[in-house]
Amino acid sequence: MTPRLSVTARTAGPGVLPPLRPIPLGGTGPEDVVVDREGRVIAGVADGRILRVRPRGPARVEQIARTGGRPLGLEVLPDGRLLVCDAERGLLRVTPEADSGSGGRVEVLVDRVAGEPLRFCSGVAAAADGTVYFTASSRRFGLQEWLGDLMERTATGRLLRLPPGGGEPEVLLDDLDFANGVVLAEDESWVAVAETGAYRLTRLWLSGPRTGQRDTLVEDLPGFPGNLSRGTDGTVWVALAGPRQRPLDWLRRAPAGVRRAAWRAARPLPIRPRAVARVLGIGPGGRIRHDLRRRRAGYRMVTGVYEHDGMLILGSLLEKGIVVCELPGRA
C-alpha cells in the first residue's frame, strides 16, 4: 500500500489580509491569475477572452486572445505563450497578441483522453523540460454544475501528464475529489494537485526514492482549495474559494442517494458565497507559512492567487475583476 504521509493544516492562526485594491477587467470571472515576464497580470473571463493588465499604475486592459470557450487555469511558458485550461475546449496553447480583434493564435493540445472527451479542464503547470501537468475536475459534471460534483462527491477528477512535444496524455492520478489547481515543487521533485472536495493537497513524487508514490502534502484545510501557484522560497499559494460548511461536510458523508437528491433540490437555487477573501501559503514540507483572510472583503470566492513583486494578486470565478494587495512583511 502506498504510504500517505500528511501534515494537518491547523498549524497557524489566521492573519489579516491587507486591504484589497480592485482592478476592473470589463469581464466576469477571472478564475485564475498569472504574471508574464513584463510583470503584467493575465486572466481569462467567462466570455472566453484572455485579458492582460498591469497591477500598478493606470489599469489599461488589453485583450490578447479569445478561446471560444471558458478559460480557467493558466500557465505562462518561457517563450511567452500561455497554457490555458478551457472548461469547454480542453487544454490549449495560446500565442498572445494584444488588441488584435479576435486575439492571438489558439491551439488545442488535448481535447480527448483515451478516446473520451476531456471535460472540465481546470489547472495546469509546466516543467522546465516542457512536460505539462494538468487536471480535469470531473468526468460527470461541467463547470456550470461544479456544486453538483462537490455535493454528490463523484471523485472522478484526474491529474494528467502531456509529454514534451505533445502526444497522448497519461493519467497519473485518478479518482480525485474535484481535482483543481496544480503546482510543481521548486526542484520539480513532486507535483501537487488541489482536491477541492477533500480539503487537501495531494502530492505525487516525480523523482528521488519516492518516485511514483502518492501522499498528502497538507490536509484538513479550512476551506475549499482552488488554484495553486508557487511563490518565493518555494511557498505554495492556495486560493480558498470559501470556508468549510458543516451541512456540506455532513452531506458528503451521507449515502449516495441522499447526496443525489440534495443536488436535485439545490440545483435551481442561486449560489451566494460569503464575502470572505482567504489564501494560504504552504511550505514545501506542508507547514503553513501564511494564513491570510479578510472578512467583509467585498470580494467573493477567491479561486486564484499569485505572488509578484511584493504583492498578492487574487482572482475569482464570480467577480468582475481582480484585486491586489501588499504581501504582509514585504511591503
Side-chain angles (χ1 to χ4, degrees), residues 16-29:
V16 177
L17 192 67
L20 305 178
R21 177 170 59 87
I23 300 178
L25 293 180
T28 300

Side-chain angles (χ1 to χ4, degrees), residues 186-200:
E186 197 165 23
D187 62 0
E188 299 188 356
S189 60
W190 49 257
V191 60
V193 56
E195 288 192 78
T196 303
Y199 312 111
R200 69 182 173 220

Side-chain angles (χ1 to χ4, degrees), residues 111-113 115-120 158:
D111 59 4
R112 303 185 75 83
V113 178
E116 176 185 327
L118 175 60
R119 172 185 199 114
F120 205 163
R158 295 179 291 183

